[in-house]
Amino acid sequence: QTVEHGFPHQPSALGYSPFLRLMAIGTRSGAIKLYGSPGVEFMGLHEENNTVMQIHFIPDQCQLVTLLDDNSLHLWSLKQHGGASELREEHRFTLKGPPGSPPSATQITAVLPHSSREVLYLGTESGNIFVVELPSFRVLEDRTISSEAVLQRVPEDNCNRRSCELVEALREHPKNPDQILIGYSRGLIVLWDLQNNKVTHHFLGSQQLENLYWQRDGNKFISCHYDGSYTQWPVSSDNRQPEPLENTVPYGPFPCKAISKIYWQTTKNGLPYIIFQGGMPRASYGDRHSISVIHGSQQTAFDFTSRVIDFFIIFSSEPTAEFDDPSAMVVLAEEELVVIDLKTAGWPAVHPPYLASLHCSAITCSHHVSNIPLKLWERIISAGSKQNLHYSSMPWPIDGGTNIAPDPPQRDLLLTGHEDGTVRFWDASGVCLHLLYKLSTVRVFLTDADPNDNMNTLGEDEWPPLRKVGTFDPYSDDPRLGIQKIYLCKYSGYLAVAGTAGQVLVMELNDEDAEHVVDHAEADLLQDQEGYRWKGHEKLKTRDGPVRFEAGFQPFVLVQCQPPAVVTSLALHSEWKLVAFGTSHGFGLFDHQQKRLVFVKCTLHPSDQLALEGPLSRVKSLKKSLRQSFRRIRRSRVSSRKRRGGSGNTSEVQEANAKFDQDTLQEMELAPVQRKIEARSAEDSFTGFVRTLYFADTFLRDSSRHCPSLWAGTNGGTVYAFCLRVPPAERRMDEPVRAEQAKEIQLMHRAPVVGILVLDGRSTPLPEPLEVAHDLSKSPDMQGSHQLLVVSEEQFKVFTLPKVSSKLKLKLTALEGCRVRKVTVANFGSCKSDDYSENDLAVLTNLGDIQIISLPFLKLQIRYPCIRKEDVSGIASCVFTKYGQGFYLISPSEFERFSLSTKWLVEPRCIVDMPEVTTNNHVHSKSGVENAARKSSFFPTLFLERKSGRLMEHALLNDEKVLKEIQSTLEGGR
């Protein structure tokens, strides 16, 4: 497993280091992920798998601290190893109170890493603030700021004991590191002098406190509150009781939601940016997830479609800078990351190069295409760029670290089909899965929502000034629009997509917007057979007349299957201009050049009523499926009785049964042999379900003449083969394509057929359509005899062609219940020699393991555990690449990428160099050795670890070259 693509599932915390220019995201499963410039990614996992509550980077260090919901703190470091940086956990620590104290006494609510880089301040539910040393996490008990000490220094008439309960916020003074601002939940705020251990100022808010923010000059700070208000407070040099400068309820006067976080950013033109989360009127907008930006007369409430976890502002972090001058706002929502450009008029969104919201509409299928020709690649990018005109042109603002991974050797596309009828084209060449282009099939059909409707249009006087941002939109106008199968021919630019309601669209790439009529054809897969009645959903209604399509893939023909059941298999042959499609009722072949149906074949079994109900039908034949289950149990009992012998009295039978069970158990334990395949009944449900379709130019009728053919495999273990007569190019439009059934193979065990493959005379899989014409593959060997490989869920079987006589077979071994779920031919290249490669079968089973099986001798080469067998959706979503890589969904929003090949590896390889620390007047002084070391460019991180009561030098100090450089630096008197 090499890299995770997409958006982290269930994010729970966000952190940012202006020093490293890195962002960190924590999740509810205990994962922590760091991101910088595209390609710079790190991942860590807490052993506890607890929710990450807070993330804080240590100022001016390659370190960060995480707080989990079990109240444990963890110190992580970015360290260089083998020429690249790695994220490692250094220490863990749980704050413990005195014996007998309640858990709230040490329950951490606020964390402040001090700019000295030596200590952390930990605010707790009890109101006490503990100080722990870094990196050892040793509690410095003499420096604890107790709630009692704070109360003694605040006038009694202004507060009581409960005023100092629960520390809500801790903020270091931006100009004086010896002062910290402490905010308590009930509204009391104090400025604490760390040197003299006393309160210098106290501020009394009338509302429950949510958060605090210092203004850059340190003369004012902002508090935000539960009632949707925020207050400016002056910090005077004398000890007079400060009064609030201004109390504002931005969306009042009616009751408002809490403002949970606020920024006050200064600018050169004098008008500040006021940016806050929440604050919306409760009655009308209580369900909105918003962040408001106010700059002078401009005000926008950015409306997110999922809950906002946290956000931060990227602004000038130079200590010498006079103003903040914010450039971007980065928002982590529950289902996506949104970045807003604050420099450009209108505050447009920035197109993210990673962390794509893959599940903006639920993923229903995926398709990978390797080694895309440059011309097609550029045309797809061009079509996508026209869709992205509304995005900001600013460079990606989170740009820390350096990507040192080699450039991808080829251009790869991952296509994902979605529930809302869209297909998204992703650049899957490297570490960052980047959206290139989005195709929508909705315009072909009449739906409840008009695609021309603009959800973001607001009247001039609209209040609050909401603006919808982000791409996450889980609601589909019609579930029938869902994409179920995708097939792209990279040589011709033809694309076929098939959907939930039996719709098959064939498209071609057009570089310009166009308006044209989409031709329609119907394929009646039941062929007017008597006694069948479809109980599922209706077909989608199509638009009459010309339809306008934007540049990109534009449909030119629609084939509608009847009944409109889910399309379960799809194949496209761009050289012959044919598309084949299958459902649970049968399969058909369509000539998309002449726009004519060639033939249909019904595969429905007379007893198979379940296939007529459809996935969206409300009435499922539960009785029938239960009845079949009982029949199967009864059959297995009868067969076992016959096996054990039916004669003799009851005790003899019981003894025989016990002996049989024992013998069977011993046999299973001692010999992991190929297991017996249980034959299935022809009455089992969905036997006519077409699982796979395959085009091949091979010997079907006799060994002297080869011809185009179409192969189909069903759920009931049947393989159909049709001979095709495709007219030559000069008469292609004049003569029809003809088809005739030549073979029908019934596997004895009736297991579902999941793959069909023809091997040429050299035992090499036949090349893809147009692959030979583009000189990217050798011509297939038509001199030697061809072989047919049929892969069912339970076995692999090789037949000779054209006689279709069994030659070789491999049953799945030992593991009971093992079934083939996905199979593909993968080309494995040698990492030592460019001249050697071999074709093998990559097989994914229902147990989540991947097996590599040789061709044509069907020898098991190796088995890898890959996906948990309980992860049914992950196994179902897996897609293999042509060169031994693969993807599967580890959550609705994330693909895990894996490689079976030593040659084709795509994984993050990056380095984070320690930037030179710009010292300013308020950073604590250090020893000469440490200052000299910090100024040296070769010194990425240096700190001393305290382990087992003794100091150990960091691993970097074991490097002889580094030690010599330090020595020469010190001897040079620097």
Side-chain angles (χ1 to χ4, degrees), residues 2 20 32 57 154 181 204 271 391 467 549 551 567 586 692 711 776 825 830 858 889 892:
T2 55
L20 299 174
I32 177 171
F57 281 87
V154 176
L181 200 60
L204 291 172
L271 293 171
Y391 280 112
R467 188 175 111 203
F549 298 102
V567 177
T692 183
W711 300 76
L776 293 168
V825 175
S830 168
L858 302 183
L889 288 171

Side-chain angles (χ1 to χ4, degrees), residues 411-718:
R411 295 168 293 273
D412 287 357
L413 272 181
L414 179 67
L415 282 67
T416 53
H418 298 263
E419 193 180 44
D420 62 356
T422 58
V423 178
R424 285 171 169 80
F425 290 64
W426 305 93
D427 177 0
S429 315
V431 170
C432 296
L433 195 69
H434 181 62
L435 182 64
L436 298 178
Y437 164 68
K438 184 179 88 169
L439 161 71
S440 177
T441 62
V442 179
R443 286 186 178 274
V444 181
F445 306 103
L446 287 167
T447 58
D448 295 336
D450 187 340
N452 295 317
D453 287 349
N454 188 350
M455 304 299 287
N456 289 337
T457 51
L458 287 175
E460 289 183 9
D461 301 325
E462 189 80 25
W463 189 260
L466 288 163
R467 188 175 111 203
K468 188 173 177 291
V469 286
T471 58
F472 179 71
D473 183 10
Y475 306 108
S476 172
D477 296 328
D478 192 329
R480 294 175 297 173
L481 290 166
I483 305 297
Q484 297 296 330
K485 295 290 172 184
I486 305 169
Y487 194 102
L488 171 68
C489 174
K490 62 186 178 184
Y491 303 112
S492 64
Y494 282 116
L495 172 70
V497 297
T500 304
Q503 70 271 30
V504 180
L505 285 162
V506 186
M507 312 186 187
E508 58 186 344
L509 195 52
N510 190 343
D511 298 328
E512 302 296 332
D513 293 7
E515 189 171 359
H516 60 255
V517 175
V518 178
D519 290 298
H520 295 182
E522 282 214 350
D524 181 10
L525 296 172
L526 293 183
Q527 298 173 301
D528 301 322
Q529 295 192 31
E530 295 291 327
Y532 290 108
R533 189 169 64 84
W534 171 247
K535 301 174 187 175
H537 50 265
E538 294 180 356
K539 69 176 184 179
L540 285 158
K541 293 177 182 174
T542 54
R543 292 179 183 272
D544 296 326
V547 182
R548 183 157 190 82
F549 298 102
E550 56 187 23
F553 286 95
Q554 298 172 351
F556 61 89
V557 68
L558 164 67
V559 184
Q560 178 62 58
C561 298
Q562 287 290 11
V566 173
V567 177
T568 57
S569 54
L570 185 69
L572 178 73
H573 201 293
S574 47
E575 193 172 354
W576 302 336
K577 304 288 194 296
L578 298 175
V579 62
F581 47 88
T583 71
S584 51
H585 307 123
F587 59 96
L589 181 67
F590 187 81
D591 177 352
H592 66 75
Q593 184 165 0
Q594 291 189 10
K595 297 173 184 173
R596 172 184 164 273
L597 190 66
V598 179
F599 78 90
V600 290
K601 169 74 177 176
C602 180
T603 56
L604 198 64
H605 192 275
S607 66
D608 194 356
Q609 289 298 315
L610 276 184
L612 291 166
E613 297 196 348
L616 304 177
S617 170
R618 296 189 175 198
V619 183
K620 286 286 182 192
S621 181
L622 183 60
K623 289 181 182 176
K624 179 166 176 124
S625 58
L626 284 171
R627 192 160 55 240
Q628 287 173 339
S629 300
F630 283 126
R631 275 184 195 159
R632 214 173 284 129
I633 293 167
R634 206 176 296 126
R635 273 200 304 273
S636 63
R637 281 177 180 165
V638 169
S639 61
S640 64
R641 282 199 203 102
K642 287 177 182 174
R643 226 169 26 236
R644 297 168 189 177
S647 60
N649 59 32
T650 311
S651 61
E652 285 175 348
V653 171
Q654 285 175 345
E655 281 177 26
N657 288 354
K659 187 177 187 307
F660 175 82
D661 290 343
Q662 191 176 355
D663 292 346
T664 308
L665 196 63
Q666 284 177 349
E667 189 181 326
M668 284 171 63
E669 286 173 354
L670 294 174
V673 293
Q674 295 181 343
R675 70 183 195 83
K676 187 177 184 300
I677 294 173
E678 183 182 341
R680 307 183 187 206
S681 165
E683 294 180 5
D684 282 3
S685 292
F686 291 111
T687 52
F689 181 122
V690 180
R691 292 286 290 267
T692 183
L693 290 162
Y694 178 69
F695 285 109
D697 187 354
T698 188
F699 300 93
L700 198 51
R701 291 196 179 280
D702 57 59
S703 55
S704 59
R705 287 178 302 166
H706 57 90
C707 65
S709 62
L710 172 66
W711 300 76
T714 72
N715 222 39
T718 308

